[in-house]
Each structure stands twice: as structure tokens, then as C-alpha cells.
């Protein structure tokens, strides 16, 4: 049985995932690692961005570490064959409804942010993004021709009580192990789905998590507060689309998208899906300059959340911190190390 399935994917995905693999082989040599095709490369080779074999392998593994998908060469592929469609199908197929996206400021990088040092120093924010519902998956969705000319496009935002409650539960549980505060973001002032979101979170809080501090915020205000005073947040729970946007904003707080990992979790006992928050970065793909730390830290999250290896996760996390404290920097962090050299540096720290 596979412990860790690697889906390197497209663009810089294979480059950064290769460094996570080196770390995994050094730190946990007993892990059974396998690799599969995924994304645009899989579409080119097999006619689908997510083959039945890859999905079956993902569901049978203990954890899946993905690189990145997509690139300009697939922009005109049919929508359901695009690399991004493969990623959504993988998330849905694995049932990973809760996406944990930490925005954490490593002390040596406090000056790498575009915000003032005092605003982000010590930042430790966790976004919990609903990942298998909402407007990403809602039906109907279509583009139709209008009789008088022009077209009409429809996407549907839809949430059920069950979908909201299970992701909110993850947020409350996480908060209890952190600073005990949950902020729930929606647009209850204009959207019915936002109204239901607020009600369900409030009810769950009253019923099971009254010991946790709960705050509601409108999603647009959340965007503003994240750049104004991000340290006011502990756990921020929100829907799929708002989570997509707010997690990019919060990722940039830390200086580079190249640093941040994520974990997508389903019900207990099912495999988690781990991926760097950054995309395939076609502009630097193949040059060997991408920062592999987001991928390496995604493996760290896999050790912690799916592989039952918290001690090794702690060791790896500390090693990454030391690597940065020693001054190792890839280009995105203002340095000149290559992807492989950053991998070497982490291995040396380990
Ligand atoms: C993300 C990405 C994806 C998303 C894309 C690649 C489909 O932006 O993981 O945040 O929108 O969820
Ligand atoms: Mg995104």
C-alpha cells in the first residue's frame, strides 16, 4: 500500500515536488512513495487531467502530495479537460472538504513582506476554506446564446447545512488547539447562502463550541482587515470562492507565495491532499529557480495530519526554520539559490 502518492503535475510542480521527495526519503525512509500523472501532462498523455487510475491511487494512499497544475498551453482545452478541472475533480473525488491554508511568518523573513514588519512579525493565521462545494461545483452552470445576440453565463453558489457545519467544525476544533478564536466570513448582507452560512455557524457554536470565541465578518471587510491588522485573526473559516481569494491575500503577507503549504482534509481516516498554495508558475518553469519550501512544508503537513508522524513533522519544521535563519534564499525571497540548492540546504539542516 502506498503511503504517499506524488502528483507532480505541470510547470514548476515536478521541480519542487522532487525536493519534497528527497526530504521524504531522507527523513522517513520507510514511507512507500509512488507517483502518478496529473494535470495538463496527463491530458496530453492520457486524454484526461485526472485518469481513473490516478484517482483510485489517490483514494488508496494515506496522503497525496500534489505539485501544481495548469499552463498557457492548455488554456484552450475543453473546460472539463483543463488541468484545473482535474484538480477540482480530485478534490471532489477524495472528498477533501476542509482546506487548511496557514499564513505563517517565519522570523527570518519578517522583512520579506510588502507590509511593515510590525504588522506581520509573529503572524500565525489559519484560513479554513470550504473546498468541495459552493460556486466551484454548483449547478446549473452554462453559457448560452441570447436570441437578440450576446450571451448569458450562469454559475450557481449553493451550500447545505451539512456542508457548512462540517467545515465550521474543523475550524472550531483547530481553534481549540490554537488561540481559541474563529472568525467566519461570508456576505450575509447580500447572499442567501451567506445568511445560511452565518446561521449554521452560530448554531453549531452555541451547541458544541461555546468555549471558543466566535466572530462574524463580511468577506470584503475580511480582505481589508487581513492587510490592515492580520494578527487579529486566529482561524478564519469561509466558503470556497472567498477562501480562494482571501488565502492569496494572506499568503502574500508572508512575503512569498513560494513559502506556503496547504492541507485538504476529508472525514477522519480518509487520505488528505497536500499542495503548495502557489501555482504552476509557467514563467519560471524549467529554470530550476522555484522555491521548493511550500512543497516541503506541504509534506510536513502530510506527516502531521495524515501519516501520523508528528515527531518527524516537528523536526522538518525546525529544519526549515534553521535553513532560513542561516540565510538560504531562493529568488522569490531575494536570494539566488536554485531549487535543488534549497533542497540541499534543508537536507543539511535535517
Ligand atoms: C487554488 C487555485 C485553484 C482554485 C485553481 C488552480 C483551480 O487557485 O488552489 O487556490 O481556484 O481553487
Ligand atoms: Mg487560488
Amino acid at each position: 500500500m502506498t503511503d504517499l502518492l506524488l502528483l507532480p503535475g505541470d510547470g514548476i510542480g515536478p521541480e519542487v515536488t522532487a525536493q519534497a521527495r528527497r526530504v521524504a526519503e531522507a527523513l522517513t525512509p520507510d514511507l512507500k512513495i509512488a507517483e502518478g500523472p496529473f494535470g495538463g501532462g496527463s491530458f496530453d498523455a492520457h486524454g484526461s487531467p485526472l485518469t481513473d487510475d490516478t484517482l483510485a491511487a489517490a483514494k488508496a494512499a494515506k496522503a497525496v502530495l500534489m505539485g501544481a497544475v495548469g499552463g498557457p498551453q492548455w488554456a484552450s482545452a475543453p473546460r472539463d479537460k483543463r488541468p484545473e478541472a482535474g484538480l477540482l475533480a480530485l478534490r471532489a473525488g477524495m472528498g477533501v472538504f476542509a482546506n487548511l491554508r496557514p499564513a505563517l511568518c517565519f522570523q527570518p523573513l519578517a522583512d520579506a513582506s510588502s507590509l511593515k514588519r510590525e504588522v506581520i512579525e509573529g503572524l500565525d493565521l489559519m484560513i479554513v476554506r470550504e473546498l468541495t462545494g459552493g460556486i466551484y461545483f454548483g449547478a446549473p452552470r452554462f453559457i448560452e446564446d441570447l436570441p437578440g445576440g450576446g450571451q448569458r453565463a450562469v454559475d450557481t453558489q449553493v451550500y447545505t447545512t451539512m456542508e457548512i457545519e462540517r467545515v465550521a467544525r474543523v475550524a472550531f476544533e483547530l481553534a481549540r488547539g490554537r488561540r481559541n478564536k474563529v472568525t467566519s466570513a461570508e456576505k450575509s448582507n447580500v447572499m442567501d447562502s451567506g445568511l445560511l452560512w452565518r446561521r449554521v455557524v452560530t448554531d453549531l457554536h452555541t451547541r458544541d463550541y461555546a468555549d471558543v470565541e466566535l466572530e462574524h465578518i463580511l468577506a470584503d471587510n475580511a480582505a481589508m482587515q487581513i492587510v490592515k491588522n492580520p494578527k487579529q485573526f486566529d482561524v478564519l473559516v469561509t466558503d470556497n470562492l472567498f477562501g480562494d481569494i482571501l488565502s492569496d491575500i494572506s499568503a502574500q503577507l508572508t512575503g512569498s507565495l513560494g513559502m506556503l503549504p496547504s492541507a485538504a482534509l476529508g472525514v477522519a481516516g480518509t487520505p488528505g491532499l497536500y499542495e503548495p498554495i502557489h501555482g504552476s508558475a509557467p514563467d519560471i518553469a524549467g529554470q530550476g529557480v522555484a522555491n521548493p519550501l511550500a512543497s516541503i512544508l506541504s509534506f510536513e503537513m502530510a506527516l502531521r495530519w495524515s501519516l501520523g508522524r508528528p515527531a518527524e513533522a516537528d523536526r522538518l519544521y525546525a529544519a526549515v526554520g534553521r535553513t532560513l535563519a542561516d540565510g538560504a534564499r531562493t529568488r522569490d525571497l531575494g536570494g539566488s539559490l536554485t531549487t535543488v540548492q534549497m533542497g540541499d540546504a534543508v537536507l543539511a539542516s535535517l
Side-chain angles (χ1 to χ4, degrees):
M1 181 190 164
T2 303
D3 294 304
L4 182 67
L5 177 68
L6 302 178
L7 303 177
D10 308 318
I12 61 170
E15 301 165 41
V16 296
T17 308
Q19 299 313 307
R21 181 174 192 143
R22 289 175 72 205
V23 168
E25 285 169 351
L27 180 64
T28 43
D30 56 305
L31 279 191
K32 289 197 187 60
I33 301 178
E35 255 183 62
F38 184 55
S42 172
F43 172 68
D44 290 344
H46 308 287
S48 165
L50 175 66
T51 63
D52 293 345
D53 284 351
T54 292
L55 179 57
K59 288 161 110 169
K62 286 193 186 139
V64 179
L65 178 64
M66 199 201 97
V69 291
Q73 60 270 57
W74 299 289
S76 53
R79 167 178 285 289
D80 63 323
K81 298 287 182 204
R82 291 177 57 174
E84 291 81 0
L87 176 55
L88 298 195
L90 180 66
R91 290 170 177 169
M94 292 179 70
V96 286
F97 59 84
N99 189 198
L100 279 45
R101 298 190 158 192
L104 220 138
C105 180
F106 281 88
Q107 183 61 26
L109 295 183
D111 287 319
S113 174
S114 49
L115 297 191
K116 292 196 190 79
R117 184 185 185 103
E118 60 266 28
V119 177
I120 53 110
E121 196 163 31
L123 175 72
D124 178 7
L125 155 68
M126 178 70 88
I127 293 196
V128 178
R129 169 189 178 189
E130 199 291 323
L131 201 60
T132 53
I135 202 162
Y136 272 62
F137 293 95
R141 60 182 304 162
F142 57 83
I143 302 178
E144 67 181 1
D145 294 326
L146 291 174
Q151 292 183 307
R152 179 172 168 264
V154 173
D155 292 284
T156 302
Q157 161 86 339
V158 48
Y159 271 109
T160 64
T161 305
M162 181 276 287
E163 288 174 309
I164 300 167
E165 193 171 298
R166 67 182 179 180
V167 72
R169 195 175 283 286
V170 170
F172 284 123
E173 293 286 340
L174 273 172
R176 276 183 177 159
R178 296 169 45 100
R179 299 191 303 281
N180 212 38
K181 178 177 172 189
V182 169
T183 306
S184 170
E186 26 63 7
K187 284 286 287 178
S188 57
N189 54 344
V190 287
M191 297 167 75
D192 279 359
S193 57
L195 212 53
L196 184 67
W197 185 282
R198 189 175 285 220
R199 260 188 232 145
V200 171
V201 172
T202 304
D203 289 352
L204 178 66
H205 177 249
T206 310
R207 217 178 331 126
D208 292 344
Y209 297 99
D211 56 300
V212 180
E213 184 189 345
L214 172 65
E215 186 179 82
H216 302 281
I217 190 169
L218 297 175
D220 52 345
N221 185 25
M224 186 184 76
Q225 295 297 335
I226 286 173
V227 289
K228 189 177 171 194
N229 175 20
K231 285 189 267 185
Q232 70 184 284
F233 297 112
D234 178 17
V235 177
L236 181 65
V237 63
T238 190
D239 77 12
N240 205 341
L241 182 61
F242 295 143
D244 181 45
I245 298 166
L246 295 178
S247 64
D248 262 30
I249 302 177
S250 61
Q252 182 53 34
L253 294 178
T254 66
S256 172
L257 216 50
M259 288 295 303
L260 292 181
S262 78
L265 307 175
V267 297
T270 59
L273 172 62
Y274 298 83
E275 47 174 305
I277 287 187
H278 64 68
S280 58
D283 53 322
I284 57 164
Q287 298 176 22
V289 297
N291 185 349
L293 290 181
S295 180
I296 290 170
L297 289 169
S298 295
F299 172 60
E300 185 264 353
M301 291 188 90
L303 287 171
R304 208 176 284 285
W305 296 95
S306 290
L307 298 169
R309 310 285 283 263
E312 284 93 340
D314 288 345
R315 271 185 66 197
L316 179 52
Y317 192 81
V320 170
R322 268 196 311 277
T323 305
L324 292 168
D326 290 346
R329 301 281 187 277
T330 38
R331 215 164 69 180
D332 54 306
L333 300 173
S336 60
L337 288 192
T338 65
T339 309
V340 173
Q341 285 169 335
M342 186 58 114
D344 291 343
V346 173
L347 285 170
S349 297
L350 266 179

